[in-house]
Amino acid sequence: MSSPSPGFQVSSPEHGIGRRKSQFTHRQLSLLASFSPSSPLRVIAHVDLDAFYAQCEMVRLGIDEEQPLAVQQWQGLIAINYSARKFGIGRHCTVTEAKKLCPNLVAQHVATWKEGEETWAYHDDAASHIATHKVSLDPYRLQSRQILALIKQCLPANKQKVEKASIDEVFIDLSAQVHSILLQRFPELTGPPPYDDPTEKLPLPPITALDWKADVLVDLDDAEAEVDDPDWDDVAILIGSEIIRDIRAEIRKRLHYTCSAGVAGNKMLSKLGSGHRKPNQQTVIRNRAIQRFLSDMKFTKIRNLGGKLGDQVKSTFNTESIKDMLEVPVDQLKLKLGDDTGLWFYDTIRGIDLSEVTSRTQIKSMLSAKSFQPSINKMEQASKWLRIFAADIFSRLIEEGVLENRRRPKTIHLHHRSAGQTRSKSSGIPQGKALEEAILFDLAKNMMSQIASEGRVWPCTNLSLSVGGFEDGITGNMGIGSFLLKGDEARISKVTSCDSPLDLSSHEPQEKKRRLESPGIQRFFPKKDLSAGEDQTDSTELDYTHGDVERRVSGSRSRQLSITDYMCSRCNAVFESAEALQSHNDWHLAKDLHDEERGRSTFASSKRIVPRSEKNATQAPRKKHSGGGAGGKRLEQGQSKLKFG
């Protein structure tokens, strides 16, 4: 047996007699490595920055942590540090009221975009110029990204699962990393289960006490239970708490921020734990302590129960105490709240939560907006704000990698509100060239002009500009055909695509030529004539139908070809750019694959019928699939119709 690691005490031989097996199995241990929510050993952490906006300003200004500070937005407060909270200052206080409670309070106004200026800045007089300034949260977003990047640096690259829940909170699934550390510290866990049966129980940990150091440890129902040998779930959660303790220390050391954390077996409990003792503390909720932790709590403190649903449960059962609700049978909860909601509530107040940590750090849309007090009445005023909106969004797009073409939006939307009526316009963002702030501004102005041309748009009480439809950028711009090539052909195709776009029409991929010369299974079937009036259900799933190609060909023939035109060698369609031709060639190849797949399916269905006795003797029965096939009208769950072009 290996020597115990720091924080562990070796069991004496006589201690633990009668408890030779853990309650957990080899299979449950192995599930940790795959982040499985069904493993009772999993470890989830929730890290929450303490009074984040206030800390950002304190770090930026170099203010001592004992100095009371509040972040001001116009005449209200949006964040108060813990030193200021001791004076009774809350978010509902005005700046005047807060300074009466604490005369030496530092009230720092958020950064703002000033009308007519192209960048955000900190303005001393922003609070008195609400009509000409717009709030900017960019300083806090930038700090949030730095903190998230540091958290990821502290975790193994191949064993991390991080979910950014908001600008100042993060969920971390530590299960895979904990599994790896368990195997290192306890080599007895690395061997195969007895009899190769994964349902066999694990041996008990070779320890009698765990060192929780400075963690806030939720008490157990039975005080005497603390002297019992811990099980593997306790050991796993201790390792998780060590990891989070180190991460919090690194954030403090390198970025000067404090954060609180909760470490538990699921997301719900870890989030409740991070808010249990603040600031700058870490709460651990062991599986054996869940009931004790939740019993004295109000269920309205749990996520998704603080709004209408929580009010409904409270009014229906005339209580908001979890302890009282634990006595309500699940059937009664289903009757009053509905089957799904009732069962979810029943599990939730017992600390059961199987939701996964999802790595969704990429945003789907960006919005910049302003409500006008007083209203604006001229196009010139609207244009000034649209310029600010475009600059605001573009500065955030830079963080998303738009300059490197890693991610970029496809659409832009403008919403205009006047006299209680909202009007909207949308436009596509050009994809063929680098995205610039000026492009966003020009698109916004054009949409605003369209709205203004409809009349009765002044006075305007609100404008908002947003972008969406984000997609990963494409580098190299290789066609579909290049992915079917091998060796020298692939290298030639890549050079052609990247370096010599003008020669695309003459360097048709060899694989495609072979496909045309030797149509394979297609030769067994006559070509379909779409003009004969047959059902075209399958063809209409493509963006380019046969008719679309014919119209494009006929349209291109009506004008004289120039030296800069590009012609398709298969259908003689003419295009104005190499990129357009390449996209068209990709469509041809994709349609060939589509048609061949349909042909293979038809050919397979025409095979001779095998007698049942012969089939049973040669192969096992196959499962029946529904809705399959490229030409089927019904799609499987998660599938979508392919669009080529």
Side-chain angles (χ1 to χ4, degrees):
M1 185 177 296
S2 64
S3 58
S5 34
F8 297 95
Q9 298 177 6
V10 180
S11 297
S12 59
E14 64 273 14
H15 194 96
I17 292 176
R19 282 195 70 211
R20 299 191 176 185
K21 290 291 185 180
S22 164
Q23 62 177 307
F24 303 104
T25 67
H26 285 264
R27 173 175 172 77
Q28 290 169 335
L29 173 65
S30 66
L31 287 174
L32 269 184
S34 60
F35 301 101
S36 173
S38 62
S39 174
L41 295 171
R42 75 173 182 151
V43 182
I44 309 294
H46 182 262
V47 177
D48 190 1
L49 275 296
D50 299 320
F52 181 52
Y53 291 180
Q55 275 204 90
C56 287
E57 298 301 344
M58 292 167 65
V59 171
R60 181 181 69 87
L61 298 171
I63 291 178
D64 186 85
E65 292 180 355
E66 299 302 318
Q67 169 66 48
L69 177 143
V71 179
Q72 177 182 352
Q73 180 174 314
W74 315 130
Q75 296 304 316
L77 302 179
I78 61 172
I80 304 102
N81 71 1
Y82 286 89
S83 296
R85 295 182 192 185
K86 296 176 182 177
F87 292 86
I89 300 174
R91 289 190 180 182
H92 297 294
C93 291
T94 64
V95 177
T96 303
E97 293 169 344
K99 288 191 172 181
K100 286 181 180 179
L101 293 171
C102 179
N104 69 330
L105 176 74
V106 174
Q108 173 61 53
H109 200 283
V110 297
T112 57
W113 295 84
K114 184 178 180 180
E115 184 180 11
E117 295 185 358
E118 297 185 4
T119 59
W120 58 264
Y122 284 91
H123 300 91
D124 294 335
D125 60 346
S128 57
H129 293 85
I130 188 173
T132 57
H133 284 246
K134 176 191 175 309
V135 168
S136 174
L137 299 181
D138 275 8
Y140 312 135
R141 292 191 185 100
L142 292 171
Q143 294 303 304
S144 176
R145 292 188 187 104
Q146 287 188 31
I147 294 168
L148 181 62
L150 179 56
I151 289 174
K152 290 184 175 182
Q153 288 176 20
C154 294
L155 299 168
N158 61 338
K159 291 183 175 64
Q160 62 175 248
K161 204 172 185 183
V162 180
E163 176 183 336
K164 182 179 178 181
S166 71
I167 194 171
D168 62 349
E169 56 181 332
V170 173
F171 285 106
I172 309 172
D173 191 336
L174 299 167
S175 299
Q177 186 177 0
V178 167
H179 178 267
S180 177
I181 296 174
L182 276 172
L183 298 187
Q184 293 173 10
R185 291 187 182 178
F186 305 97
E188 62 268 31
L189 297 179
T190 60
Y195 317 110
D196 288 328
D197 183 0
T199 63
E200 280 287 319
K201 302 289 187 180
L202 294 165
L204 276 173
I207 46 181
T208 59
L210 303 177
D211 183 4
W212 299 98
K213 295 187 177 178
D215 291 350
V216 177
L217 197 63
V218 176
D219 294 332
L220 304 181
D221 291 329
D222 183 1
E224 295 182 358
E226 291 290 5
V227 302
D228 289 348
D229 284 345
D231 208 336
W232 289 112
D233 58 339
D234 301 308
V235 179
I237 209 167
L238 171 68
I239 294 173
S241 72
E242 293 173 356
I243 296 169
I244 296 301
R245 198 182 302 126
D246 291 342
I247 289 175
R248 291 173 53 236
E250 198 67 14
I251 294 172
R252 175 75 159 162
K253 175 184 176 182
R254 294 174 58 178
L255 300 177
H256 313 296
Y257 293 103
T258 67
C259 50
S260 299
V263 185
N266 60 51
K267 291 175 70 175
M268 180 194 74
L269 290 172
S270 65
K271 181 171 175 60
L272 291 173
S274 67
H276 183 59
R277 297 281 180 86
K278 291 175 73 75
N280 199 26
Q281 295 196 60
Q282 182 167 307
T283 300
V284 175
I285 308 165
R286 294 165 293 173
N287 291 340
R288 291 184 290 164
I290 292 175
Q291 186 173 348
R292 175 70 177 269
F293 179 67
L294 293 176
S295 59
D296 296 331
M297 192 179 294
K298 296 178 179 179
F299 59 74
T300 49
K301 297 294 184 182
I302 299 176
R303 186 182 181 187
N304 297 323
L305 285 171
K308 293 182 179 179
L309 177 56
D311 291 339
Q312 178 188 349
V313 178
K314 182 180 176 181
S315 61
T316 301
F317 295 96
N318 198 30
T319 183
E320 57 180 325
S321 166
I322 289 180
K323 189 174 183 178
D324 293 340
M325 292 304 299
L326 288 172
E327 300 176 2
V328 180
V330 65
D331 291 340
Q332 189 173 350
L333 289 172
K334 289 181 177 180
L335 180 65
K336 298 290 186 180
L337 305 176
D339 287 351
D340 293 339
T341 304
L343 183 58
W344 173 83
F345 184 87
Y346 181 86
D347 287 342
T348 297
I349 61 175
R350 286 165 174 78
I352 300 171
D353 173 27
L354 298 180
S355 59
E356 296 187 50
V357 173
T358 57
S359 303
R360 52 180 182 85
T361 56
Q362 292 185 330
I363 60 173
K364 296 181 179 179
S365 62
M366 290 180 181
L367 171 72
S368 188
K370 171 74 176 175
S371 293
F372 302 109
Q373 299 175 359
S375 304
I376 59 174
N377 296 279
K378 297 180 180 179
M379 179 63 80
E380 290 77 13
Q381 289 177 293
S383 294
K384 288 180 180 180
W385 284 110
L386 291 178
R387 180 179 293 279
I388 288 176
F389 295 167
D392 183 16
I393 290 174
F394 188 72
S395 68
R396 283 181 269 162
L397 286 174
I398 292 176
E399 295 295 323
E400 285 293 303
V402 68
L403 295 182
E404 298 84 8
N405 199 33
R406 290 198 306 266
R407 291 192 83 224
R408 61 180 291 156
K410 295 174 63 177
T411 56
I412 184 169
H413 312 273
L414 178 66
H415 296 274
H416 169 284
R417 189 168 182 82
S418 176
Q421 181 181 7
T422 301
R423 302 181 186 182
S424 303
K425 295 293 180 183
S426 299
S427 175
I429 299 175
Q431 300 294 304
K433 54 183 177 180
L435 183 57
E436 299 175 352
E437 180 183 321
I439 293 176
L440 298 178
F441 179 48
D442 288 342
L443 291 171
K445 283 194 302 181
N446 290 338
M447 291 186 291
M448 187 66 219
S449 297
Q450 295 175 31
I451 292 175
S453 66
E454 298 173 0
R456 302 182 65 180
V457 295
W458 313 110
C460 173
T461 58
N462 180 276
L463 275 178
S464 70
L465 188 69
S466 63
V467 295
F470 279 82
E471 61 180 12
D472 294 334
I474 301 172
T475 58
N477 207 25
M478 294 169 61
I480 290 177
S482 61
F483 293 97
L484 302 178
L485 308 183
K486 297 180 181 179
D488 294 335
E489 291 179 353
R491 286 191 290 274
I492 293 172
S493 177
K494 184 174 182 179
V495 171
T496 304
S497 298
C498 299
D499 301 332
S500 308
L502 295 180
D503 295 328
L504 277 173
S505 58
S506 60
H507 290 277
E508 189 173 358
Q510 296 297 317
E511 182 66 26
K512 189 194 298 184
K513 289 182 178 179
R514 282 198 295 270
R515 186 180 301 278
L516 295 176
E517 295 167 0
S518 178
I521 203 165
Q522 297 277 36
R523 66 180 182 273
F524 293 99
F525 305 96
K527 276 194 173 182
K528 293 183 179 180
D529 183 6
L530 294 180
S531 61
E534 67 174 358
D535 186 0
Q536 300 183 30
T537 303
D538 297 331
S539 298
T540 55
E541 291 183 10
L542 306 175
D543 255 358
Y544 280 61
T545 62
H546 187 72
D548 291 329
V549 176
E550 288 186 337
R551 284 191 294 273
R552 182 172 289 235
V553 172
S554 62
S556 62
R557 287 172 178 167
S558 64
R559 61 183 178 87
Q560 186 176 0
L561 297 179
S562 70
I563 195 170
T564 59
D565 287 327
Y566 301 89
M567 178 179 288
C568 173
S569 60
R570 294 184 60 177
C571 63
N572 295 326
V574 178
F575 301 88
E576 296 181 356
S577 68
E579 290 79 8
L581 176 61
Q582 179 175 308
S583 176
H584 176 73
N585 286 336
D586 287 347
W587 170 79
H588 269 306
L589 182 55
K591 189 174 185 300
D592 288 341
L593 292 171
H594 176 72
D595 291 340
E596 180 170 328
E597 189 64 31
R598 288 180 57 206
R600 185 180 294 114
S601 176
T602 306
F603 178 74
S605 65
S606 66
K607 291 182 179 179
R608 71 181 183 90
I609 300 175
V610 181
R612 177 172 299 182
S613 59
E614 181 181 338
K615 179 187 292 186
N616 292 339
T618 57
Q619 63 182 26
R622 296 183 179 181
K623 294 181 180 179
K624 184 177 181 181
H625 294 273
S626 61
K633 300 179 182 180
R634 185 178 177 185
L635 299 176
E636 297 277 359
Q637 184 178 359
Q639 290 182 328
S640 59
K641 292 183 178 181
L642 295 176
K643 292 185 178 182
F644 305 108

